[in-house]
């Protein structure tokens, strides 16, 4: 079993403050949430949880990248989301069901902060003010997500790819860096084709925004 590490108070608080859901809470409530945080580290390609597994925890990516993907009956993988530093996963694991319909896998070596579902729900029971503040925050975040989705629909492939590259570079803290995903998987993730990804890489290179050294793993 992978070792679970209890974090120092300031490190746990930093993880909690990465999550928009918690950022607007008073410091005392953020500290109460931080007291529940533990840390785990995963190696590249290590599975964090499987689809249909009772996860029972909320995850915050401190360092690295994690992919969330579904697998069809014929074995074809479809990436639904790529989590980078500061991203989080598993709101249902805090408030409701602990099971997921995706599999989470570390694309790179990753450090994850996590909050146990049962511990968090007990905190909500003990602190009605925290519950109310979280409900208000979640309502606002839903509105923001709707706006982000609307913007994403009108963004061109080049813009979406540029954002993906920036997020990946920030997560890996390397320059130059090797893409953790194949072009076909990036295309699936961004809702386009491998050919469009190749053209967008060429255009970004022509604009001298990146130096594409070629290759695909």
């Amino acid at each position: 079993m992978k070792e679970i590490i209890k974090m120092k108070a300031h490190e746990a608080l930093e993880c909690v403050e990465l999550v928009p859901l918690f950022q607007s809470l008073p410091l005392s409530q953020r500290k109460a949430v931080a007291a529940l945080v533990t840390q785990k580290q995963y190696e590249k390609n290590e599975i964090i949880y499987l689809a249909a597994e009772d996860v029972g925890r909320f995850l915050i990516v401190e360092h690295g990248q994690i992919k969330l993907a579904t697998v069809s009956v014929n074995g074809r993988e479809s990436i639904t989301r790529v989590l980078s530093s500061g991203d989080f996963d598993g709101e249902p694991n805090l408030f409701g069901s602990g099971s997921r319909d995706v599999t989470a896998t570390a694309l790179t070596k990753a450090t994850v902060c996590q909050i146990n579902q049962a511990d968090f729900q007990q905190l909500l029971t003990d602190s009605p003010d925290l519950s109310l503040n979280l409900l208000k925050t979640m309502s606002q975040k839903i509105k923001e997500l709707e706006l982000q989705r609307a913007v994403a629909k009108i963004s061109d492939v080049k813009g979406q790819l540029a954002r993906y590259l920036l997020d990946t570079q920030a997560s890996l803290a390397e320059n130059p860096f090797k893409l953790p995903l194949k072009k076909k998987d990036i295309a699936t993730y961004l809702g386009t084709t491998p050919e469009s990804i190749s053209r967008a890489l060429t255009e970004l290179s022509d604009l001298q925004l990146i130096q594409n050294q070629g290759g695909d793993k």
Side-chain angles (χ1 to χ4, degrees):
M1 181 179 293
K2 185 168 285 290
E3 184 179 7
I4 299 176
I5 302 170
K6 183 66 177 178
M7 301 180 69
K8 294 180 180 179
H10 72 279
E11 293 175 339
L13 183 60
E14 288 174 357
C15 265
V16 166
E17 290 175 341
L18 290 172
V19 183
L21 180 63
F22 302 132
Q23 287 171 354
S24 62
L25 296 176
L27 179 60
S28 60
Q29 293 181 359
R30 297 201 304 273
K31 286 183 175 179
V33 176
L36 306 179
V37 172
T38 56
Q39 185 189 75
K40 291 182 73 173
Q41 294 185 341
Y42 296 91
E43 297 300 321
K44 181 179 179 180
N45 296 324
E46 184 174 357
I47 293 177
I48 297 170
Y49 62 76
L50 294 168
E53 180 182 341
D54 188 4
V55 180
R57 61 191 187 275
F58 177 78
L59 307 178
I60 307 167
V61 182
E62 187 176 5
H63 301 294
Q65 278 196 329
I66 293 170
K67 70 175 178 180
L68 306 182
T70 59
V71 180
S72 65
V73 291
N74 62 6
R76 183 175 180 179
E77 182 183 72
S78 178
I79 297 172
T80 60
R81 193 177 173 200
V82 174
L83 305 177
S84 301
S85 300
D87 289 335
F88 53 93
D89 168 62
E91 294 94 325
N93 305 134
L94 286 179
F95 301 101
S97 171
S99 63
R100 302 299 311 280
D101 56 0
V102 296
T103 293
T105 308
L107 279 174
T108 66
K109 188 173 183 179
T111 303
V112 173
C113 303
Q114 62 181 28
I115 300 174
N116 180 272
Q117 179 190 46
D119 292 340
F120 186 79
Q121 291 180 349
Q122 184 60 52
L123 178 62
L124 292 181
T125 300
D126 296 338
S127 178
D129 287 345
L130 173 59
S131 301
L132 182 59
N133 285 337
L134 285 177
L135 283 173
K136 291 178 179 177
T137 300
M138 289 176 68
S139 177
Q140 181 60 36
K141 294 307 172 187
I142 289 172
K143 294 178 182 177
E144 292 176 2
L145 283 173
E146 290 174 347
L147 178 60
Q148 289 175 10
R149 290 186 183 127
V151 171
K153 287 181 179 179
I154 61 175
S155 297
D156 62 11
V157 174
K158 186 168 59 179
Q160 293 182 60
L161 178 60
R163 177 161 186 166
Y164 168 76
L165 293 176
L166 285 171
D167 288 344
T168 299
Q169 195 276 328
S171 297
L172 299 179
E174 297 175 2
N175 193 16
F177 63 93
K178 185 176 182 179
L179 289 171
L181 292 175
K182 296 179 181 180
K183 289 179 184 177
K184 66 180 182 65
D185 292 325
I186 297 174
T188 300
Y189 173 57
L190 296 181
T192 185
T193 64
E195 293 76 16
S196 295
I197 293 298
S198 294
R199 285 195 298 270
L201 284 170
T202 299
E203 290 175 13
L204 291 172
S205 181
D206 290 343
L207 291 170
Q208 299 184 348
L209 296 175
I210 64 171
Q211 290 183 355
N212 183 12
Q213 298 179 358
D216 197 359
K217 61 186 185 65

